[in-house]
Amino acid sequence: MNFKNVFRWHYPVLLLLALMTLRATAADTLLVLGDSLSAGYRMSATAAWPALLNDKWQKTPAIINGSISGDTATQGLARLPALLKQHQPRWVLIELGGNDGLRGFPPQNIEQDLSKIITQVKAANAQPLLMQIRLPANYGRRYTESFSGMYPRLAKEFSVPLVPFFMEQVYLKPEWMQQDGIHPNPDAQPFIAGLMAKELAPLVKHE
């Protein structure tokens, strides 16, 4: 038997099987693209809710936390191509816009960036999951309503799930907040992980 011919004959099949295995691995990845609310501001990354949820789900799917404190939607958009290429996620949870709003950026500009993020995620054959973000009431009714209104509008336009803002329940418990009144502390992270497990369970494949 000519083993060289056998290998040459089976090589394309072996290559296809290898590619299918890689795709199957990538298909079980949830990428969190967020800011300090998901990055774990002033705490270890292992204490932040994405890491706790990853442990809770036993990495099925695996959760990659691509969040960076201080990121705006523009900065998240700039980082997205590299993250998509590296992790090849099946789902991308978009938790961005809060820093833009806190800085008073025009809502239409924020909406444009979020729109581009959703478009890029879809182009990478991944499923976008958009988180509703809300601002403190002291930013004025007109601005806060304009800001919060863009999320359901984008969800409808692109036919993507709109995930509730976990901070709305965290704000109700002062003992879960850091001194800045904006960020959740480590004590809040298990609650957030549990809440996100409940909200994300119908949207992602996990066992």
Side-chain angles (χ1 to χ4, degrees), residues 28-29 51 53-63 206-207:
D28 288 330
T29 301
L53 181 55
N54 197 37
D55 293 339
K56 183 181 181 70
W57 279 353
Q58 298 182 336
K59 301 182 180 180
T60 308
I63 299 175
H206 71 99
E207 297 176 356

Side-chain angles (χ1 to χ4, degrees), residues 30 32 48-61 63 93 189 192-198 200:
L30 167 64
V32 180
W49 73 262
L52 299 184
L53 181 55
N54 197 37
D55 293 339
K56 183 181 181 70
W57 279 353
Q58 298 182 336
K59 301 182 180 180
T60 308
I63 299 175
L93 176 62
Q189 302 304 310
I192 298 172
L195 179 62
M196 292 307 297
K198 178 181 177 181
L200 293 175

Side-chain angles (χ1 to χ4, degrees), residues 61-83:
I63 299 175
I64 304 297
N65 193 358
S67 306
I68 293 182
S69 294
D71 255 15
T72 61
T74 300
Q75 291 169 322
L77 174 62
R79 295 191 298 110
L80 181 59
L83 289 169

Side-chain angles (χ1 to χ4, degrees), residues 17-150:
L17 289 173
L19 289 173
M20 289 176 65
T21 300
L22 288 174
R23 287 171 184 167
T25 301
D28 288 330
T29 301
L30 167 64
L31 172 66
V32 180
L33 182 69
D35 50 34
S36 56
L37 296 181
S38 297
Y41 182 68
R42 290 185 175 178
M43 69 185 75
S44 167
T46 58
W49 73 262
L52 299 184
L53 181 55
N54 197 37
D55 293 339
K56 183 181 181 70
W57 279 353
Q58 298 182 336
K59 301 182 180 180
T60 308
I63 299 175
I64 304 297
N65 193 358
S67 306
I68 293 182
S69 294
D71 255 15
T72 61
T74 300
Q75 291 169 322
L77 174 62
R79 295 191 298 110
L80 181 59
L83 289 169
L84 291 173
K85 182 178 180 180
Q86 178 182 357
H87 301 293
Q88 300 181 23
R90 183 172 179 179
W91 305 275
V92 179
L93 176 62
I94 304 164
E95 182 270 295
L96 286 170
N99 286 314
D100 308 66
L102 293 175
R103 298 173 190 178
F105 292 174
Q108 60 268 27
N109 293 356
I110 309 171
E111 188 168 354
Q112 287 176 5
D113 285 335
L114 292 174
S115 175
K116 292 176 183 178
I117 290 174
I118 295 171
T119 300
Q120 284 195 21
V121 171
K122 285 196 166 189
N125 294 319
Q127 171 64 57
L129 310 172
L130 182 63
M131 180 174 288
Q132 171 75 62
I133 307 294
R134 299 187 188 278
L135 297 176
N138 59 358
Y139 274 73
R141 180 177 177 181
R142 182 177 179 181
Y143 184 79
T144 56
E145 288 184 353
S146 178
F147 176 88
S148 62
M150 65 185 171

